[in-house]
């Protein structure tokens, strides 16, 4: 039958010609994709992948900034393993990596839920945000338009032990405020977590508000008809439907907490709180470029491991709506 069709049909409709046309269209499609992505991928490889590979190479050398970099194997990593200053800074960075995303994302989800679905029931609207929700979005997002250095300077003045706004307010009610930035490690860590959360919570309010706004109102109305309160609606409806956004935000905030370089460098005295990026920066100042790049490689590994853990632990069946 196939032979008969090949005989009766015109040459351009033969099965061989059809297979050839399909193969040509597939090849043409891949040519278009490769041609479209070639230049962006080349730039990405040159300006992103290449520096990573160079850093990994220099981490195995004794490079001190000169034209010569002698290969020394794992000596920099052995030195790092025995360096107590590195471990002290890493403990602080890991603490921020674990705690800061939890605090920031919880606040971001709470504010976003109140803005999107936490208001009183209005006429004709079963689900609505609190009054003035549009203004709150602008207020929460405002820290995102400020430079990190400016944020560090402002909060440094707020947490100043002698003339700071916070301790001055506590003095008015008869409470002696602690030395936030010049005393115990725990107070400095609390101050650092406060600044990190304040800096980034507005971004997550906008992010989670957009995710919650995409949820059909019919789902909320059905939950209300079933007698679900705000708490049950949030944990039973809202959170499962925006879980992919929460997981992505968790990874992003963890990387931001791990890279809290500018805030610590500007706001914190050197002897109080030190994170791994600041420790790396000080090694660069000392001319230990090979050792510093090995610390950078460890930061890269920490970021990748953290991202993989969150992707693995936070994985669940995708809910379509």
């Amino acid at each position: 039958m196939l032979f008969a069709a090949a005989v009766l049909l015109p040459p351009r409709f033969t099965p061989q010609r059809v297979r050839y046309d399909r193969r040509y269209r597939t090849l043409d499609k891949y040519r278009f994709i490769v041609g479209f992505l070639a230049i962006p991928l080349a730039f990405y490889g040159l300006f992103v992948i290449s520096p990573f590979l160079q850093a990994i190479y220099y981490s195995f050398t004794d490079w001190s900034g000169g034209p010569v970099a002698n290969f020394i194997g794992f000596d920099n990593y052995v030195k790092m393993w025995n360096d107590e200053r590195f471990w002290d800074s890493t403990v602080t960075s890991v603490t921020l990596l674990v705690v800061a995303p939890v605090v920031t994302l919880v606040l971001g989800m709470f504010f976003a839920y109140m803005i999107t679905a936490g208001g009183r029931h209005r006429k004709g609207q079963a689900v609505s945000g609190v009054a003035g929700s549009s203004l709150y979005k602008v207020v929460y997002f405002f820290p995102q338009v400020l430079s990190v250095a400016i944020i560090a300077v402002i909060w440094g003045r707020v947490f100043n032990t002698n003339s700071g706004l916070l301790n001055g307010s506590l003095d008015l009610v008869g409470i002696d405020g602690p030395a936030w930035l010049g005393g115990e490690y725990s107070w400095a860590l609390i101050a650092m977590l406060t600044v990190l959360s304040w800096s980034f919570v507005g971004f997550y309010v906008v992010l989670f508000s957009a995710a919650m706004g995409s949820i059909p109102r019919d789902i909320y109305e059905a939950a209300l008809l079933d007698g679900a309160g705000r708490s049950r609606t949030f944990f039973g409806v809202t959170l499962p439907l925006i879980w992919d956004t929460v997981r992505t935000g968790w990874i992003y905030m963890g990387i931001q907490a791990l890279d809290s370089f500018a805030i610590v460098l500007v706001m914190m005295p050197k002897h109080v709180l030190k994170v791994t990026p600041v420790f790396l920066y000080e090694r660069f100042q000392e001319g230990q470029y090979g050792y510093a790049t090995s610390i950078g490689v460890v930061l890269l590994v920490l970021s990748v491991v953290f991202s993989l853990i969150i992707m693995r632990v936070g994985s669940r069946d995708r809910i379509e709506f």
Side-chain angles (χ1 to χ4, degrees), residues 102-171:
V102 175
V103 175
T104 307
L105 267 63
V106 168
L107 290 174
M109 282 188 286
F110 173 75
F111 293 140
Y113 184 70
M114 296 303 294
I115 289 174
T116 306
R120 295 181 178 180
H121 304 324
R122 302 173 187 174
K123 186 177 180 180
Q125 289 183 330
V127 178
S128 61
V130 296
S133 57
S134 299
L135 176 63
Y136 292 143
K137 287 182 182 180
V138 175
V139 173
Y140 291 141
F141 193 76
F142 178 72
Q144 288 292 306
V145 304
L146 296 177
S147 169
V148 178
I150 294 176
I151 291 174
V153 170
I154 293 174
W155 279 99
R157 299 292 181 87
V158 172
F159 284 114
N160 188 279
T161 303
N162 300 320
S163 59
L165 177 63
L166 182 58
N167 281 357
S169 301
L170 293 175
D171 289 338

Side-chain angles (χ1 to χ4, degrees), residues 217-228:
R217 297 293 178 178
D218 297 343
I219 299 178
Y220 283 121
E221 293 174 0
L224 291 174
L225 291 175
D226 289 340

